[in-house]
Amino acid sequence: MIEVKGVSLRYRDGTLALNNINLTIGYNELVYITGPSGSGKTSLLKLIMGMEYPTSGTVKVMGQEISEEKSEELRNLRKRIGPVFQELKLVPGRSAMENVMMGIRFLDFSRQEIRSNAAVALEKVGLSHKADSMVENLSWGEAQRVSIARAIARKPRLILADEPTGNLDHDNAVNILNILASFKQKDTSVIIATHATHLIENQKNITIIRMNQGNISVEKRGGEE
């Protein structure tokens, strides 16, 4: 699914975000990216999403090379990726259902499919009963689940979540990670960047990418879930 070979990413101000990294992620993987602030977690997610381009090396996601020359192909690639942003980017004054529908309105779904996908996605995150609630009236944990529903309504092959537990208490954080993990399927992988390493200490059948100053180390944990 994802092949990263000899990739460095240097921003225009000279900051080296990624330093000659190599990485392979297959389908049906649950991956956590950990590391301190500034270690390169978000930069790696942006690279996989096609929001940044490697300064050197090559990145392929679902067979598509990430490069500035491939802008049209990248637009099509992003349709198969479900992002969960650190800033939730929900639209106030709109219901949970409307926010999920707005997130997929430019994809290749009919009007009926948009509503159906949104309803199914809200059900999967346990928010069917809040479908008509304005998002500003939801708790932070509920708003985060709307953000996840918006991502999965796309029926993505890859889910990317950037610090989805950042503003949540322990119980809500565990709930969010469990919801995200549940979408790992035979043809779908889930990648989560998080500071909350204490929440994944005992998890099995996961891959952990530890980042520090743009460098990575990879641990694959087996065992029964």
Side-chain angles (χ1 to χ4, degrees):
M1 172 177 268
I2 298 171
E3 294 179 304
V4 179
K5 295 183 178 180
V7 165
S8 294
L9 173 62
R10 187 180 295 275
Y11 290 112
R12 291 182 179 180
D13 65 0
T15 301
L16 183 63
L18 300 172
N19 182 23
N20 192 33
I21 67 171
N22 295 282
L23 178 65
T24 301
I25 296 171
Y27 288 101
N28 191 34
E29 284 201 48
L30 174 59
V31 180
Y32 291 98
I33 306 175
T34 68
S37 296
S39 61
K41 299 190 301 296
T42 298
S43 293
L44 180 55
L45 288 183
K46 286 182 175 180
L47 200 67
I48 294 170
M49 185 75 182
M51 297 171 67
E52 296 287 350
Y53 308 113
T55 306
S56 60
T58 59
V59 180
K60 287 186 177 181
V61 179
M62 290 181 266
Q64 175 60 57
E65 184 176 354
I66 304 296
S67 70
E68 200 164 1
E69 293 76 25
K70 304 283 187 177
S71 57
E72 182 63 34
E73 292 90 338
L74 289 179
R75 277 192 287 271
N76 290 325
L77 172 67
R78 293 187 190 109
K79 293 178 181 180
R80 293 180 283 163
I81 297 175
V84 180
F85 298 104
Q86 194 168 0
E87 305 83 18
L88 301 184
K89 298 186 178 181
L90 300 181
V91 180
R94 299 294 185 98
S95 68
M97 172 68 83
E98 288 172 321
N99 267 271
V100 176
M101 291 173 64
M102 290 169 67
I104 59 174
R105 67 190 186 280
F106 295 124
L107 302 182
D108 300 324
F109 296 120
S110 68
R111 187 173 299 180
Q112 183 177 354
E113 286 173 325
I114 289 173
R115 177 166 288 277
S116 174
N117 287 6
V120 170
L122 285 170
E123 181 180 2
K124 286 183 175 179
V125 300
L127 283 181
S128 292
H129 64 297
K130 294 283 187 177
D132 296 325
S133 299
M134 297 297 107
V135 290
E136 57 267 36
N137 295 329
L138 300 177
S139 69
W140 187 269
E142 289 170 337
Q144 183 63 277
R145 283 190 277 160
V146 173
S147 179
I148 294 171
R150 185 179 54 195
I152 64 171
R154 303 165 72 95
K155 297 191 173 179
R157 304 291 296 280
L158 176 62
I159 297 172
L160 301 177
D162 190 10
E163 295 292 353
T165 64
N167 294 295
L168 302 176
D169 60 33
H170 178 273
D171 289 346
N172 274 307
V174 170
N175 186 38
I176 290 297
L177 290 183
N178 287 340
I179 288 171
L180 285 167
S182 72
F183 297 116
K184 184 193 78 165
Q185 304 289 340
K186 180 179 178 181
D187 61 351
T188 305
S189 287
V190 179
I191 302 177
I192 304 168
T194 181
H195 282 98
T197 54
H198 61 289
L199 298 179
I200 63 174
E201 287 175 351
N202 299 317
Q203 288 195 27
K204 305 297 183 182
N205 292 328
I206 63 174
T207 298
I208 300 177
I209 300 171
R210 294 185 175 86
M211 302 199 67
N212 185 32
Q213 296 182 332
N215 298 296
I216 68 169
S217 62
V218 179
E219 174 192 353
K220 290 186 180 286
R221 290 186 188 168
E224 295 297 324
E225 290 185 315

